[in-house]
Amino acid sequence: MSRLPCQVRSDDLWFADAPADIELAQALCGGCPVRQQCLTEALDRGERWGVWGGEILHEGAVVARKPRAGRPRKHPVAA
């Protein structure tokens, strides 16, 4: 079996802040044969951050995109 993307790339990629790096990590996970197992085990372990199984974890939950760093808004933004 060939090496998995997470075994040949720097660990920093899977915990990146830059949107382009996060998208690359997710794309590399796309064809991984253990993608679902990776995500399931990360959630079971309580991983809080990073790209696991092609999904972004933020504070232990799967999110559509990583929240920006910085202070939260004082007032909600209208949709």
Side-chain angles (χ1 to χ4, degrees):
M1 181 163 133
S2 62
R3 294 187 58 176
L4 303 174
C6 57
Q7 294 175 329
V8 296
R9 296 286 184 139
S10 168
D11 290 345
D12 293 340
L13 180 63
W14 314 105
F15 299 95
D17 287 321
D21 291 338
I22 293 169
E23 288 177 17
L24 174 59
Q26 288 181 294
L28 291 169
C29 289
C32 183
V34 296
R35 180 179 177 176
Q36 188 58 50
Q37 179 183 353
C38 175
L39 177 59
T40 299
E41 290 181 8
L43 291 170
D44 289 347
R45 267 193 318 273
E47 293 287 350
R48 296 194 40 84
W49 316 102
V51 175
W52 298 92
E55 300 292 338
I56 301 168
L57 293 185
H58 178 76
E59 295 184 2
V62 175
V63 295
R65 65 182 76 118
K66 186 172 180 176
R68 299 174 113 188
R71 204 174 85 195
R73 294 179 182 270
K74 287 184 178 183
H75 306 287
V77 176

